[in-house]
Amino acid sequence: MNIVALLVGLGPLLGWGLFPTVASKFGGKPVHQIIGTTLGTLIFACVFAVLTAQHFPTGMNLMFSLLSGAGWCFGQILTFKAFTLIGSSKAMPVTTAFQLLGASLWGVFALGNWPGLTNKIIGFTALFVILIGARMTVWSEKKLSQDSDKLKKAVVILLIGEIGYWLYSAAPQATDIGGKAAFLPQAMGMVIVAVIYGCFFLKKDNPFTQKVTWLQIISGFFFAFAALTYLISAQPDMNGLATGFVLSQTSVVLATLTGIYFLNQRKTSKEMVVTMIGLVLILVAATVTVFIR
């Protein structure tokens, strides 16, 4: 792996690692966060498309790309809602674990990954370890019923949101469109759903006129940077899909730690140790699921 490929591969570490913390730092409700984030992603995608003269897809390629972006927006809205319940430092490892589970199970049952009994045993064991790691990241020394109720609600919300994230990754696989070409229409799909969602709040508190919504555009730049560098990193002449995917998943560590230290989502010493062990388990198990494909 050359230094350029490594730097590109670590782009998602910075982008996706800082995105939830930046979005939470700017504040606002999930509706403000999702509108601003998707607009920022669209601006970034438009600039990239112009600079690289990307061919705009048509027909089924366009439809599935829009559907992919719409799925991500749905999942991210629910993730933002989970942030309000348990904070990004707890929500991110859980949603990352669910996304890994969803992608792996889709690969096994729809794409024929993990051929053979041995690979399936190793793979499903790794998925179980991912679940254990996610549970460790939300462990708390103090058992408060209120916190427990919030955690349960957040987990259900994130699990439902996984439907959207699954669609985000699975929809492009139904076509022969490349990731770079799909980037702009995906962003368009994100904005369409975000605007529709925002319209439900027009009478109460118009999110399109709130300053925080427009500040969240900066959050969108972080997400878009991560998504684009991942697409480039996954190319065969860079890091390849497997290595690129593993490098991108390191973002969960940065997202968790920045949430703890910059958003004051503090943990006790024991909770920090358990959280770090959980993150390591998620990353190791994620690596296993990729390289047994």
Side-chain angles (χ1 to χ4, degrees):
M1 184 187 300
N2 61 52
I3 187 66
V4 174
L6 178 61
L7 291 175
V8 173
L10 291 177
L13 164 65
L14 294 175
W16 284 330
L18 295 176
F19 164 59
T21 302
V22 172
S24 298
K25 194 69 175 178
F26 282 133
K29 299 177 181 178
V31 65
H32 304 118
Q33 294 170 322
I34 198 62
I35 293 173
T37 294
T38 55
L39 286 175
T41 302
L42 180 62
I43 293 170
F44 195 103
C46 285
V47 172
F48 173 75
V50 170
L51 292 178
T52 59
Q54 288 294 318
H55 172 71
F56 192 78
T58 58
M60 295 299 289
N61 285 344
L62 175 59
M63 186 187 77
F64 278 105
S65 296
L66 290 171
L67 188 62
S68 171
W72 179 88
C73 188
F74 172 78
Q76 191 60 44
I77 289 171
L78 294 183
T79 300
F80 281 143
K81 287 184 176 294
F83 286 179
T84 65
L85 292 171
I86 59 175
S88 61
S89 63
K90 289 185 176 180
M92 284 307 298
V94 175
T95 188
T96 298
F98 284 160
Q99 289 177 54
L100 289 169
L101 288 172
S104 298
L105 292 175
W106 172 252
V108 172
F109 294 111
L111 305 179
N113 292 340
W114 302 354
L117 180 60
T118 301
N119 283 346
K120 284 183 171 61
I121 292 174
I122 295 172
F124 283 106
T125 301
L127 295 184
F128 182 68
V129 171
I130 287 173
L131 287 176
I132 294 175
R135 180 65 184 88
M136 292 176 71
T137 63
V138 296
W139 177 77
S140 177
E141 277 192 274
K142 298 179 180 179
K143 305 297 182 182
L144 300 177
S145 59
Q146 184 179 7
D147 292 341
S148 179
D149 290 342
K150 286 184 178 180
L151 177 59
K152 290 177 182 177
K153 186 177 180 180
V155 169
V156 171
I157 289 173
L158 292 171
L159 188 58
I160 296 172
E162 170 54 27
I163 297 172
Y165 288 133
W166 165 79
L167 194 60
Y168 173 60
S169 60
Q173 296 176 13
T175 67
D176 58 356
I177 187 173
K180 293 179 183 179
F183 191 39
L184 178 55
Q186 280 178 330
M188 293 170 62
M190 294 174 188
V191 171
I192 290 171
V193 173
V195 170
I196 293 172
Y197 179 63
C199 288
F200 288 106
F201 297 83
L202 287 177
K203 293 182 179 179
K204 238 183 347 181
D205 183 21
N206 189 346
F208 299 100
T209 61
Q210 302 294 315
K211 179 181 178 181
V212 66
T213 298
W214 303 103
L215 283 174
Q216 289 289 355
I217 288 177
I218 299 174
S219 303
F221 293 156
F222 280 87
F223 169 80
F225 171 76
L228 180 59
T229 50
Y230 172 66
L231 291 174
I232 297 173
S233 172
Q235 297 298 309
D237 59 342
M238 292 295 284
N239 296 305
L241 182 61
T243 304
F245 179 81
V246 172
L247 288 173
S248 73
Q249 295 310 300
T250 58
S251 62
V252 68
V253 178
L254 184 59
T256 303
L257 295 179
T258 54
I260 292 170
Y261 292 111
F262 290 101
L263 299 177
N264 203 31
Q265 298 170 3
R266 295 296 181 179
K267 292 176 178 282
T268 66
S269 298
K270 287 184 179 179
E271 289 171 349
M272 276 298 299
V273 171
V274 174
T275 295
M276 293 307 298
I277 294 174
L279 291 173
V280 170
L281 289 178
I282 291 173
L283 291 177
V284 171
T287 303
V288 171
T289 65
V290 170
F291 286 100
I292 62 171
R293 292 170 188 249

